[in-house]
């Protein structure tokens, strides 16, 4: 995992090192929360009256974030996602994205957003070097959207999606949290919309994080995904390794789905499992942390807005990189802390066995 010389000279790490945890998983993906604030109050994420946000004085500055991100990139992390809360609430996110995109070794820079401010920021993000967008969208019914999010702003999100497509983002993934009470017709309408717009719909099981998440009853999205795919005439995306010789054995250029996707895509580098309409590109995916967890293939860690490194969504293991940085830690000391944290990364979450354990809300960790 680490070499003493690399730990003392982080700049040398890029030529040598990959982050591997105690279970043999390569960690090559860092999700960075640029703010824990959000302009929505989605029923599965934040209470409507929530006031427990991080004090802005404790937020890492963009320069501090870039410094920590750079240490991860030097250790072999190539994928970076800027997230929140709602990242576009914080000023200068496109500037931060430009700094990260220019780092040697960064191969994929993406942003997760709720879309409310995307129309005004899409072109700047694209120009800064952001390659992919994930946009939260749980329904196309305006009244249901208001009930879920606490705001009547579905039109703003749809305008943001249109602006992102016009700015050249592709693929654009729609992330939709689906629980036991979600109407099938709402999900099918989202799928039809995604197909018509050239987007990818990903259905996500809610996790029991904080009181909001713990109040949601998940449903098996493997079954729902298969039902929707059958209704729409789709077939499972075939992993590259399973394709006949000569049929798309290389990465689909510009696909944005990771090296696991050749001409027929497949499982990709993330947790989603996909269906395709037969033309190769994924159309529908499911992310199932509850009914079929993917911890054995976990490749990511999360950096909170205060610099806390969260090693697992479903555990409390963390490293206070922000406090260390503010106390004057050198890059070598921060690198040693990162390596020690990765070595101690938990094997898996315990959401099913201990659903009340994680009291922090998703926005506080970084989605």
């Amino acid at each position: 995992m680490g070499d003493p010389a690399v730990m003392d000279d982080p700049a040398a790490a890029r030529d040598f090192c990959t982050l591997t945890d105690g279970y043999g998983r390569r960690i090559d993906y860092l999700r960075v929360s640029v703010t824990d604030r959000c302009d929505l109050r989605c029923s599965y994420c934040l209470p409507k009256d929530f006031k427990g946000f991080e004090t802005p004085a404790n937020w890492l500055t963009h320069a501090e974030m870039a410094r920590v991100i750079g240490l991860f990139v030097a250790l072999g992390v190539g994928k970076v996602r800027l997230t929140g809360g709602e990242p576009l609430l914080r000023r200068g996110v496109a500037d931060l994205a430009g700094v990260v995109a220019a780092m040697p070794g960064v191969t994929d820079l993406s942003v997760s957003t709720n879309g409310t401010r995307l129309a005004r920021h899409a072109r700047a993000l694209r120009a800064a070097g952001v390659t992919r967008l994930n946009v939260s969208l749980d329904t196309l019914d305006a009244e249901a959207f208001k009930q879920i999010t606490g705001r009547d702003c579905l039109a703003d999100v749809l305008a943001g999606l249109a602006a992102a497509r016009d700015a050249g983002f592709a693929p654009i993934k729609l992330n939709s949290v689906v629980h036991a009470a979600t109407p099938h017709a709402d999900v099918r309408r989202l799928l039809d919309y995604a197909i018509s717009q050239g987007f990818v719909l990903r259905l996500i099981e809610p996790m029991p994080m904080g009181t909001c998440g713990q109040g949601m009853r998940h449903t098996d999205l493997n079954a729902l995904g298969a039902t929707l795919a059958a209704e729409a005439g789709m077939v499972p995306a075939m992993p590259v390794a399973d394709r006949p010789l000569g049929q798309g054995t290389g990465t689909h250029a510009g696909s944005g789905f990771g090296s696991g996707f050749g001409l027929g895509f497949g499982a990709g580098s993330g947790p989603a499992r996909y269906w395709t309409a037969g033309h190769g590109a994924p159309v529908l995916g499911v992310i199932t942390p509850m009914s079929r967890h993917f911890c054995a293939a976990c490749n990511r860690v999360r950096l909170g807005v205060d610099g806390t490194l969260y090693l697992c969504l479903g555990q409390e293991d963390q490293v206070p990189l922000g406090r260390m940085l503010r106390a004057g830690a050198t890059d070598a000391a921060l690198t040693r802390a990162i390596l020690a944290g990765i070595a101690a990364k938990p094997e898996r979450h315990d959401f099913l066995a201990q659903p009340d354990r994680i009291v922090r809300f998703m926005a506080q960790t970084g989605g």
Side-chain angles (χ1 to χ4, degrees):
M1 179 187 63
D3 178 279
V6 172
M7 292 165 65
D8 289 333
D9 182 11
R14 185 179 301 111
D15 299 325
F16 155 83
C17 197
T18 59
L19 284 175
T20 305
D21 71 7
Y23 298 95
R25 297 171 297 196
R26 180 181 174 186
I27 309 303
D28 61 2
Y29 184 11
L30 178 67
R31 299 174 70 105
V32 180
S33 176
V34 301
T35 179
D36 59 348
R37 309 297 173 94
C38 190
D39 54 347
L40 302 181
R41 290 294 182 273
C42 294
S43 55
Y44 49 80
C45 186
L46 279 177
K48 288 181 170 54
D49 58 351
F50 183 73
K51 304 294 184 184
F53 295 108
E54 184 60 65
T55 303
N58 293 334
W59 294 0
L60 294 188
T61 66
H62 289 334
E64 290 171 331
M65 285 185 177
R67 178 183 170 190
V68 176
I69 293 168
L71 295 178
F72 275 92
V73 173
L75 290 168
V77 169
K79 295 180 61 179
V80 178
R81 177 176 295 277
L82 304 180
T83 182
E86 171 45 47
L88 300 184
L89 287 176
R90 187 164 181 182
R91 294 179 181 177
V93 169
D95 295 332
L96 174 63
V99 172
V100 176
M103 292 180 180
V106 173
T107 58
D108 182 80
L109 175 61
S110 55
V111 168
S112 289
T113 173
N114 64 26
T116 60
R117 297 175 175 234
L118 186 54
R120 73 189 80 166
H121 292 288
R123 290 195 177 278
L125 292 172
R126 184 66 174 165
V130 176
T131 51
R132 295 189 295 114
L133 290 176
N134 287 8
V135 182
S136 297
L137 183 62
D138 298 320
T139 181
L140 289 169
D141 181 273
E143 184 58 32
F145 184 94
K146 182 178 179 180
Q147 291 177 0
I148 293 170
T149 67
R151 284 187 59 196
D152 184 10
C153 59
L154 174 61
D156 294 336
V157 177
L158 297 181
L161 284 164
R165 185 181 55 201
D166 291 346
F169 283 104
I172 296 173
K173 298 177 184 177
L174 306 180
N175 286 350
S176 181
V177 174
V178 176
H179 52 88
T182 303
H184 181 91
D186 280 11
V187 184
R188 179 56 197 265
R189 186 179 175 191
L190 278 170
L191 177 58
D192 291 342
Y193 169 74
I195 293 171
S196 70
Q197 300 298 312
F199 302 149
V200 181
L201 176 64
R202 305 198 308 172
L203 311 180
I204 303 174
E205 294 174 354
M207 291 172 282
M209 297 186 64
T211 54
C212 292
Q214 291 163 5
M216 293 287 164
R217 187 163 60 91
H218 76 273
T219 188
D220 185 348
L221 293 188
N222 297 286
L224 177 59
T227 297
L228 289 165
E231 291 175 356
M234 292 184 287
V235 297
M238 187 182 298
V240 169
D242 293 339
R243 294 184 62 80
L245 186 64
Q247 293 189 21
T249 54
T251 299
H252 184 57
S255 73
F257 286 92
S259 60
F261 290 111
L263 206 58
F265 298 90
S269 58
R273 289 179 293 281
Y274 290 100
W275 287 265
T276 174
H279 51 71
V283 176
L284 172 67
V286 295
I287 299 177
T288 56
M290 303 300 291
S291 63
R292 184 178 170 187
H293 75 79
F294 33 83
C295 299
C298 184
N299 65 339
R300 67 201 63 195
V301 289
R302 290 169 166 81
L303 186 71
V305 67
D306 65 345
T308 299
L309 179 65
Y310 294 98
L311 301 172
C312 175
L313 272 180
Q315 303 288 355
E316 295 291 359
D317 304 68
Q318 52 193 258
V319 182
L321 296 178
R323 290 209 307 268
M324 293 178 61
L325 184 153
R326 293 277 173 96
T330 64
D331 283 0
L334 292 170
T335 298
R336 286 192 291 270
I338 291 169
L339 291 169
I342 297 301
K345 180 176 167 64
E347 181 180 15
R348 55 163 297 172
H349 67 68
D350 290 316
F351 285 142
L352 293 175
Q354 302 181 66
D356 301 327
R357 180 177 182 183
I358 304 301
V359 298
R360 68 180 185 272
F361 297 98
M362 176 67 83
Q364 295 173 290
T365 306

